[in-house]
Amino acid sequence: MLKNFVQLFSGNPTKKTVDQFKDLVIQVNALEAEYSALSDEALRAKTGEFKARIAQALVGLNPPPISGQERDEERNKFEQDALDEIMPEAFAAVREASKRTIGLRHYDVQIIGGGALHHSQIAEMRTGEGKTLVSTLPVYLNALTGRGVHLITVNDYLARRDARWMAPIFDALGVSVGVLQMAAATENGKKAFMVDFEKESPHEDQHNLRLVDRVEAYSADVTYGTNSEFGFDYLRDNMAMRLENRVQRGHYFAIVDEVDNVLIDEARTPLIISGPASGDLEWYGKMAQVVKQLRAEDYELDEKNRNVTLTEVGFSHVESILGLILLDPDRPEDLTPEQARLTGYLEQALRAQFLFIRNKEYLVQGGKVVIVDEFTGRQMPGRRWSDGLHQAVEAKEGVKVEPSSVTYATITLQNYFRMYQKLAGMTGTALTEAEEFNKIYKLEVAPVPPNLEYQSFGKGAPLTEIKSKDEEGYTYSYFARSGDTSPLFYRRKDYPDVIYRTVEAKLRAIVMEVIRYHALGRPMLVGTTSVESSDRLSGRLKAEPVRRLLQVTLVRRAYMKAKDLEEDGRLIAELAPFNEPIEKITPDALRNFIKPHGVTSINPEEAANLKILLDALALPGRVW
């Protein structure tokens, strides 16, 4: 709907992107034969040639007494003009290096994506369209300035995977690659890695990675790492007592992968470096016990705004438990220092008890509270909530309460990334946040068409897109050769959302879907919103619950057939007992219910029953 709305008022944004960079594609394609004929040494020498041309372009800079800021602005303009001029040749060099080293040739749409990134835009590209390969184009081009390019990934694994995967391309062109990893693997952030293919290890997180000082990784032409690693290094640099102890060398150009997640969803997330502070840990435990004794009328819970407050009755109840006066009802704004301190403990205990849920916001492992990232679901060992909240959660769970901390340095991701002279990003979903990107970061979204769709554009296109409907009535598209209707490639089917009235119905539908695709030999990725939900669903995929669900399906099918009924979504009273959670249903109850209707066996493995289940799962008989 949003896509149609955008097209109605501003034309097709995808076509605009293609038109903007079509000349670049033509130029890069025209150079392909020339660069294919170069030897490996000649191709590598292109890097030195490009750097010399950039240096020559900067010779025309105005000399002092022009002010420092004006000179920097003029230098940047000259530099970007020089990069724009050599962009087709640089992209052609990267394409050729990629063909020779990792066997991948950049498609035309990937050239378009690279152009968008170089021009500080957000390249919106579908999943599987090769964003990792696209990034090598602007990374190489901007690395020619010698000022360092930062490529931000969403986790440590992708940082080292992408760095190792693309490093052969950079190595063939004489470009060095650094990799940042979390503090636990790098001596508390003092070390980092350089990609080195002579360094081998049986451990994935160390293979082809040579441990170096942090500053050396930042001195590389391109540095891969997560947003938090770059941000924390910036904070540590600002706390450094000596200039030579700093590791970063400036903020020239950053390309952010999954940019909507980093720059929008997590934008206001603060990165905090803290240290121990003095405080009375005993009160965390006392307040944890107090809030566990509260009644429903003692507090007001606002889950939407993540807020919990005590009512007047609640304050009186707390004061009676503690035997202390926390609030003067006649002058509630006048708090003594001691009352303010105790009220702080109480507020955090309330938040810990009613807003922070175990196995959702955090886990308890090895006697420690481990935060779970709300965006990725990953554990964040070593991270702690501030302002006494972490201590309140520890007291709630009965684990050792560690001392609270005081903030030494902090910055939000939004403010950090706005320091870069050039900023670009890649993602599969950016148009929906286009207004925010423009307002906050002055970034435009450039939708790049999928490769197959691009090949169906315009007159004389080699492919044509044809729409059809599947057996369930859903519309889908496929690509055929021009003048033919036989499917050659299929566009991914995006099904509409399905809403269920109960959690049990949803879990059963998910399990049936997993069974179906498992039988077809297709792996599935199932995402949940909490660890608790993952554990619950995982339990449903064990042998016994799966078998019970299939037995319920057999019974339901047999009953519907015996009563000559059809599924129409309405509740059938006789079958209602079998809508209970699957673990509460017994085989005996199923057999006793269906036996009067002529069914003597509910064994899913019997030939007759297997045929019914194949039909229920919409599976062909040959898959079993």
Side-chain angles (χ1 to χ4, degrees):
M1 183 181 292
L2 177 65
K3 184 178 179 181
N4 294 336
F5 182 82
V6 171
Q7 291 183 14
L8 178 64
F9 289 96
S10 60
N12 188 329
T14 303
K15 188 175 184 302
K16 285 185 178 180
T17 304
V18 172
D19 290 342
Q20 181 182 355
F21 296 105
K22 65 180 180 182
D23 289 340
L24 172 64
V25 172
I26 293 171
Q27 290 174 290
V28 174
N29 287 339
L31 291 167
E32 186 165 13
E34 176 187 338
Y35 277 70
S36 294
L38 295 175
S39 65
D40 290 347
E41 293 75 17
L43 183 62
R44 187 184 183 90
K46 282 291 181 180
T47 298
E49 176 190 323
F50 295 149
K51 288 182 176 180
R53 287 166 60 180
I54 294 172
Q56 183 62 35
L58 298 179
V59 172
L61 279 173
N62 288 322
I66 187 173
S67 71
Q69 182 177 349
E70 291 176 341
R71 185 172 176 81
D72 287 344
E73 290 176 355
E74 187 175 11
R75 181 186 189 279
N76 292 336
K77 183 180 182 304
F78 274 64
E79 191 173 69
Q80 293 309 307
D81 288 345
L83 291 177
D84 290 344
E85 183 179 333
I86 66 173
M87 178 163 55
E89 298 166 75
F91 281 16
V94 174
R95 176 190 265 180
E96 184 58 33
S98 179
K99 286 159 55 180
R100 296 184 187 186
T101 55
I102 64 174
L104 297 176
R105 176 186 178 275
H106 294 75
Y107 291 122
D108 289 355
V109 290
Q110 293 173 317
I111 299 294
I112 292 171
L117 293 174
H118 170 63
H119 283 95
S120 297
Q121 296 178 338
I122 293 173
E124 183 186 76
M125 303 180 71
R126 298 275 183 86
T127 303
E129 290 296 313
K131 292 187 287 291
T132 303
L133 187 62
V134 168
S135 66
T136 58
L137 299 164
V139 163
Y140 172 70
L141 176 62
N142 286 271
L144 296 171
T145 64
R147 299 170 67 182
V149 177
H150 297 166
L151 202 147
I152 287 82
T153 63
V154 295
N155 58 54
D156 277 346
Y157 167 72
L158 289 178
R160 60 180 181 265
R161 186 207 70 173
D162 292 355
R164 281 190 298 236
W165 188 10
M166 299 296 113
I169 300 174
F170 296 126
D171 185 60
L173 296 168
V175 172
S176 56
V177 181
V179 185
L180 307 180
Q181 295 284 275
M182 69 166 56
T186 55
E187 298 181 14
N188 291 321
K190 296 177 182 177
K191 299 288 186 178
F193 297 94
M194 294 291 291
V195 175
D196 183 350
F197 292 110
E198 294 183 358
K199 174 77 164 56
E200 296 187 356
S201 171
H203 305 289
E204 180 276 328
D205 60 350
Q206 299 174 32
H207 185 59
N208 295 150
L209 297 175
R210 174 168 49 87
L211 192 67
V212 297
D213 290 334
R214 198 85 162 179
V215 67
E216 185 176 340
Y218 275 107
S219 298
D221 296 306
V222 53
T223 307
Y224 284 76
T226 63
N227 52 61
S228 58
E229 291 304 313
F230 284 104
F232 280 123
D233 283 339
Y234 170 76
L235 294 178
R236 282 190 283 264
D237 280 357
N238 276 274
M239 294 169 58
M241 302 301 292
R242 306 172 69 121
L243 187 62
E244 58 266 28
N245 291 338
R246 294 188 173 187
V247 295
Q248 292 189 340
R249 55 170 173 148
H251 300 86
Y252 167 56
F253 183 34
I255 298 176
V256 184
D257 193 13
E258 301 300 343
V259 66
D260 52 334
N261 177 55
V262 175
L263 296 189
I264 300 296
D265 298 340
E266 298 186 38
R268 304 303 297 273
T269 302
L271 302 177
I272 300 172
I273 292 181
S274 59
S278 59
D280 190 351
L281 302 181
E282 181 183 357
W283 276 103
Y284 289 111
K286 289 181 179 179
M287 288 302 183
Q289 295 304 314
V290 168
V291 297
K292 288 178 181 178
Q293 300 177 51
L294 295 180
R295 301 178 293 263
E297 63 269 21
D298 290 335
Y299 60 90
E300 294 178 350
L301 181 62
D302 183 355
E303 293 186 9
K304 181 178 180 181
N305 294 313
R306 302 281 293 168
N307 191 33
V308 58
T309 56
L310 285 178
T311 62
E312 289 187 16
V313 173
F315 261 110
S316 298
H317 190 191
V318 170
E319 288 174 339
S320 67
I321 296 173
L322 292 173
L324 298 170
I325 302 298
L326 295 180
L327 195 67
D328 185 345
D330 297 325
R331 304 186 67 180
E333 70 279 1
D334 289 345
L335 294 177
T336 66
E338 180 65 12
Q339 287 174 328
R341 186 174 70 88
L342 295 180
T343 301
Y345 288 122
L346 177 60
E347 289 174 350
Q348 295 296 25
L350 286 167
R351 295 181 65 203
Q353 182 68 30
F354 299 111
L355 296 178
F356 286 77
I357 310 303
R358 182 171 177 169
N359 292 336
K360 184 177 181 182
E361 278 86 10
Y362 65 91
L363 303 174
V364 178
Q365 291 182 342
K368 293 185 179 294
V369 171
V370 180
I371 298 174
V372 175
D373 190 309
E374 64 177 307
F375 301 104
T376 65
R378 292 186 175 86
Q379 298 178 32
M380 302 170 69
R383 303 287 175 85
R384 295 178 66 83
W385 287 302
S386 59
D387 301 324
L389 175 60
H390 208 95
Q391 287 75 19
V393 174
E394 289 172 331
K396 166 192 170 182
E397 295 297 341
V399 302
K400 181 182 178 182
V401 178
E402 302 290 345
S404 59
S405 59
V406 61
T407 299
Y408 292 157
T410 181
I411 191 172
T412 62
L413 293 176
Q414 181 182 110
N415 289 336
Y416 175 73
F417 283 110
R418 288 171 69 180
M419 293 192 301
Y420 281 87
Q421 178 187 321
K422 290 180 65 176
L423 182 63
M426 310 177 289
T427 182
T429 52
L431 271 178
T432 51
E433 285 90 20
E435 183 178 354
E436 289 181 79
F437 281 126
N438 182 266
K439 183 177 180 180
I440 300 171
Y441 304 99
K442 299 293 187 287
L443 293 176
E444 297 292 335
V445 176
V448 180
N451 182 46
L452 291 175
E453 184 178 310
Y454 177 78
Q455 292 186 53
S456 67
F457 282 177
K459 295 180 179 179
L463 299 179
T464 181
E465 185 174 0
I466 300 173
K467 293 188 180 297
S468 184
K469 288 191 175 183
D470 63 15
E471 61 278 2
E472 297 176 356
Y474 292 111
T475 300
Y476 70 96
S477 300
Y478 67 88
F479 295 91
R481 299 190 190 282
S482 294
D484 189 7
T485 58
S486 301
L488 190 62
F489 302 105
Y490 287 90
R491 186 191 286 275
R492 185 182 69 183
K493 293 181 181 179
D494 290 321
Y495 292 107
D497 294 338
V498 181
I499 311 298
Y500 294 91
R501 293 186 63 183
T502 65
V503 174
E504 178 63 23
K506 181 182 70 172
L507 289 172
R508 291 188 182 192
I510 293 172
V511 173
M512 291 294 281
E513 190 88 344
V514 171
I515 294 171
R516 180 172 188 269
Y517 284 104
H518 177 71
L520 290 171
R522 299 180 191 173
M524 289 187 70
L525 175 64
V526 183
T528 66
T529 57
S530 69
V531 177
E532 183 180 13
S533 297
S534 295
D535 288 343
R536 185 175 185 182
L537 181 57
S538 177
R540 287 297 185 94
L541 293 172
K542 293 180 179 178
E544 190 57 33
V546 168
R547 183 180 180 86
R548 189 76 71 252
L549 178 58
L550 294 177
Q551 290 174 330
V552 170
T553 302
L554 283 171
V555 168
R556 185 177 183 88
R557 285 279 177 133
Y559 181 83
M560 300 291 282
K561 183 178 180 181
K563 295 294 184 179
D564 196 24
L565 299 174
E566 292 185 3
E567 293 281 6
D568 57 6
R570 288 182 291 183
L571 179 68
I572 300 173
E574 292 79 3
L575 293 173
F578 304 124
N579 293 336
E580 291 289 318
I582 208 76
E583 58 269 16
K584 295 183 178 180
I585 303 172
T586 65
D588 287 342
L590 291 169
R591 292 191 193 96
N592 293 335
F593 173 82
I594 203 64
K595 192 172 183 180
H597 301 287
V599 177
T600 57
S601 171
I602 56 171
N603 182 359
E605 297 169 3
E606 287 192 6
N609 291 338
L610 185 58
K611 185 177 180 181
I612 295 172
L613 289 174
L614 290 174
D615 181 63
L617 293 166
L619 288 170
R622 66 177 184 277
V623 302
W624 221 257

